[in-house]
């Protein structure tokens, strides 16, 4: 193994393919993300497996899943790619160049609510550096962070196993909110029960996400087991558009709909959501130290959370 690492046969393209397949769970989707063909990805992964002497992915109908050996190697592969990017950025600044790219991951529920101000503050201090923002479910964000594809994430606290190797800085706790458009029939009623909601199309977070688990627990606490008519949406823009247009009910994180509630574009149905709060915060890897530009992003995220939740709540 040491000879393989020292003779230079493991290339950056090997590590990039490895990280892309691990992130996307599919050779085809990894190829699309890397703008190369699927056979090229397959060949590159096969080369890396030959160099390392281990199988890296179990492939089946459900895609490609990292083996135990791959999981051991992924963190170090990600750290190598991340360190190379940081080294290039440091060198660029040292020779007077202002370019560079920082890749971060943000939950879709937080992107529109918090990131515009964060990115504006960042551009003022680092005008020559590009911030690439990836969005996805919380588990996907953690995978990207652990593999080194991104250096920071804005997401939710996960279970201890999911948080292994990561630092989490709590920013705020946001509860669920049940919202409709002002013209919705339920918005006209003096009192609303969860049974009333079950008669309408309901928009829920995707199955398997932390937010969906909280929403399901919330529904069960109000006597609703399984809904007959519902959608599962990760896209907040689509969920918002559907709620503004039709008589649907959207169960969302309050931070996602906070501006629409303040503007009157949406209204919250009168359900007590105490106990549904989830911790939102900044995540980075334990084995890395945020660079000065990343520290600026962290400071801007802290300020965005303070502005959002340092003021009287909407309820």
């Amino acid at each position: 193994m040491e000879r393989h690492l020292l003779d230079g046969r493991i290339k950056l393209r090997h590590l990039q393919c490895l990280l892309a397949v691990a992130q996307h769970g599919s050779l085809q989707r990894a190829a699309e993300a890397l703008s190369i063909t699927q056979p090229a990805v397959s060949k590159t992964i096969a080369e890396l497996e030959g160099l390392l002497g281990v199988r890296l992915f179990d492939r089946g109908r459900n895609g490609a899943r990292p083996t135990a050996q791959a999981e051991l190697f992924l963190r170090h592969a990600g750290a190598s790619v991340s360190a190379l990017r940081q080294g290039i950025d440091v060198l660029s600044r040292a020779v007077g160049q202002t370019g560079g790219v920082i890749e971060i991951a943000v939950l879709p529920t937080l992107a529109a609510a918090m990131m515009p101000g964060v990115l504006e503050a960042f551009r003022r201090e680092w005008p020559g550096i590009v911030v690439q923002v990836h969005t996805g479910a919380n588990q996907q964000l953690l995978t990207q962070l652990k593999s080194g594809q991104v250096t920071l994430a804005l997401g939710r606290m996960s279970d201890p196993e999911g948080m292994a190797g990561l630092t989490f800085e709590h920013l705020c706790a946001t509860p669920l909110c049940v919202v409709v458009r002002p013209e919705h029939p339920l918005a006209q009623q003096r009192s609303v029960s969860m049974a009333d909601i079950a008669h309408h199309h309901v928009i829920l977070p995707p199955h398997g996400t932390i937010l969906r688990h909280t929403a399901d627990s919330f529904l069960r606490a109000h006597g609703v087991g399984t809904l007959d008519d519902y959608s599962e949406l990760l896209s907040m823009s689509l969920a918002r558009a559907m709620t503004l247009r039709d008589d649907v009910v959207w169960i969302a994180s309050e931070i996602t709909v906070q501006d629409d509630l303040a503007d009157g574009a949406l209204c919250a149905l009168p359900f007590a959501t105490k106990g549904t709060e989830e911790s939102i915060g900044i995540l980075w890897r334990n084995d890395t130290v945020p660079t000065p530009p990343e520290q600026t992003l962290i400071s801007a995220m802290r300020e965005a959370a303070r502005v959002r939740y340092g003021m009287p709540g909407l309820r």
Side-chain angles (χ1 to χ4, degrees):
M1 183 75 69
E2 183 179 358
R3 177 178 61 84
H4 291 320
L5 293 176
L6 291 177
D7 67 15
R9 285 191 285 168
I10 292 183
K11 308 293 185 184
L12 179 60
R13 61 183 176 85
H14 291 124
L15 302 183
Q16 290 174 320
C17 272
L18 171 72
L19 296 173
V21 176
Q23 176 199 342
H24 295 284
S26 160
L27 270 67
Q28 180 59 46
R29 290 195 291 272
E32 293 169 357
L34 295 170
S35 298
I36 59 178
T37 65
Q38 180 174 335
V41 172
S42 298
K43 180 181 178 182
T44 302
I45 293 299
E47 288 176 359
L48 184 57
E49 288 177 329
L51 291 170
L52 296 175
V54 298
R55 190 177 76 257
L56 295 171
F57 294 97
D58 292 322
R59 303 166 197 177
R61 292 182 178 179
N62 295 326
R65 187 164 57 90
T67 62
Q69 291 87 350
E71 293 286 0
L72 292 174
F73 185 62
L74 271 168
R75 169 180 287 196
H76 302 285
S80 298
V81 174
S82 177
L84 180 59
R85 289 173 178 159
Q86 290 186 15
I88 292 172
D89 289 344
V90 170
L91 180 60
S92 296
R93 291 194 296 274
V95 298
Q97 299 177 5
T98 57
V101 176
I102 296 177
E103 295 189 56
I104 66 173
V106 181
L107 282 174
T109 51
L110 305 177
M114 295 183 65
M115 289 309 297
V118 169
L119 295 177
E120 181 182 1
F122 181 83
R123 286 196 303 271
R124 287 197 299 266
E125 189 163 342
W126 300 92
I129 296 180
V130 175
V131 179
Q132 292 185 358
V133 181
H134 303 262
T135 59
N138 205 65
Q139 185 55 51
Q140 184 179 357
L141 268 58
L142 299 184
T143 299
Q144 291 175 308
L145 190 58
K146 290 180 178 180
S147 68
Q149 182 183 352
V150 301
T151 56
L152 293 174
L154 184 59
R156 291 186 175 85
M157 172 72 80
S158 185
D159 58 81
E161 181 179 354
M163 298 299 294
L166 301 178
T167 295
F168 178 85
E169 178 184 320
H170 172 82
L171 293 179
C172 59
T174 176
L176 288 179
C177 197
V178 184
V179 300
V180 296
R181 62 177 181 166
E183 302 82 9
H184 195 291
L186 293 180
Q188 315 305 318
Q189 295 182 194
R190 290 187 175 181
S191 63
V192 181
S193 70
M194 195 60 69
D196 295 326
I197 285 179
H199 293 303
H200 295 268
H201 186 83
V202 180
I203 299 175
L204 293 170
H207 182 74
T209 62
I210 296 174
L211 195 59
R212 175 58 178 275
H213 176 74
T214 304
D216 286 344
S217 298
F218 173 73
L219 289 169
R220 285 194 299 270
H222 285 80
V224 176
T226 303
L227 294 168
D228 295 325
D229 185 14
Y230 67 95
S231 297
E232 298 182 349
L233 299 179
L234 184 61
S235 170
M236 297 300 99
S237 59
L238 176 56
R240 179 179 184 272
M242 289 176 62
T243 308
L244 290 172
R245 170 179 172 149
D246 300 317
D247 288 336
V248 303
V249 177
W250 183 14
I251 300 179
S253 175
E254 185 191 66
I255 197 171
T256 305
V257 297
Q258 197 172 32
D259 290 337
D260 284 323
L261 292 176
D263 294 342
L266 296 174
C267 60
L269 296 179
F271 290 103
T273 56
K274 185 179 176 66
T276 65
E277 297 86 356
E278 290 189 303
S279 180
I280 289 171
I282 309 167
L283 301 104
W284 62 89
R285 289 165 42 138
N286 291 342
D287 58 355
T288 63
V289 177
T291 63
E294 290 163 0
Q295 286 287 3
T296 298
L297 283 172
I298 290 173
S299 296
M301 290 175 183
R302 290 170 181 157
E303 177 62 13
R306 187 196 67 78
V307 169
R308 287 265 166 188
Y309 281 91
M311 60 181 67
L314 293 171
R315 297 182 301 282

